[in-house]
Amino acid sequence: MGYIGTFGTATTAPEHYCTSLGTPRWSGIHESDFTVDLEKDLRYFIEIEASRMGNNDRVQGCVGENQQFFHEQFLGGWPHKLWLECYQSGISEKPNQMPDFDEVWPPMPI
């Protein structure tokens, strides 16, 4: 996936574009134009994307690189706080581990 974006300001959402998902409805919107539905979309985006970026940064050895995305004052600060929380969660996620071969072989009788 390719991303294009800018950091948000105290009054506007960041501009964001993803080659596979397109441009979210909230991208670049002034906070006075936010609706309940846009806030739900934004919350869902943050929960998914911040965790993914945190995990990717840990794997690539560049933790902190994508830690900032929303201005601390935008929408009363909740997007910034949620982003940090989800980013940290992504950093601490352990990769799925495959069981040892000896644990699954020979297969159990049916």
Side-chain angles (χ1 to χ4, degrees), residues 69-98:
F69 193 68
F70 293 92
H71 191 280
E72 293 100 4
Q73 295 173 352
F74 178 67
L75 290 178
W78 74 260
H80 173 72
K81 291 174 187 170
L82 183 59
W83 182 274
L84 290 175
E85 178 183 309
C86 293
Y87 182 83
Q88 288 299 322
S89 176
I91 289 170
S92 62
E93 285 179 8
K94 300 288 187 233
N96 291 338
Q97 293 183 355
M98 296 295 292

Side-chain angles (χ1 to χ4, degrees), residues 40-51:
K40 286 180 186 177
D41 288 353
L42 182 60
R43 181 175 300 277
Y44 179 74
F45 169 83
I46 292 170
E47 289 171 350
I48 301 299
E49 191 63 11
S51 295

Side-chain angles (χ1 to χ4, degrees), residues 33-64:
D33 294 326
F34 262 75
T35 63
V36 172
D37 287 338
L38 286 175
E39 286 192 23
K40 286 180 186 177
D41 288 353
L42 182 60
R43 181 175 300 277
Y44 179 74
F45 169 83
I46 292 170
E47 289 171 350
I48 301 299
E49 191 63 11
S51 295
R52 190 189 67 75
M53 284 190 168
N55 186 273
N56 285 351
D57 284 359
R58 178 184 55 79
V59 169
Q60 296 171 3
C62 58
V63 170

Side-chain angles (χ1 to χ4, degrees), residues 99-106:
D100 289 337
F101 184 75
D102 292 338
E103 293 176 13
V104 294
W105 190 262

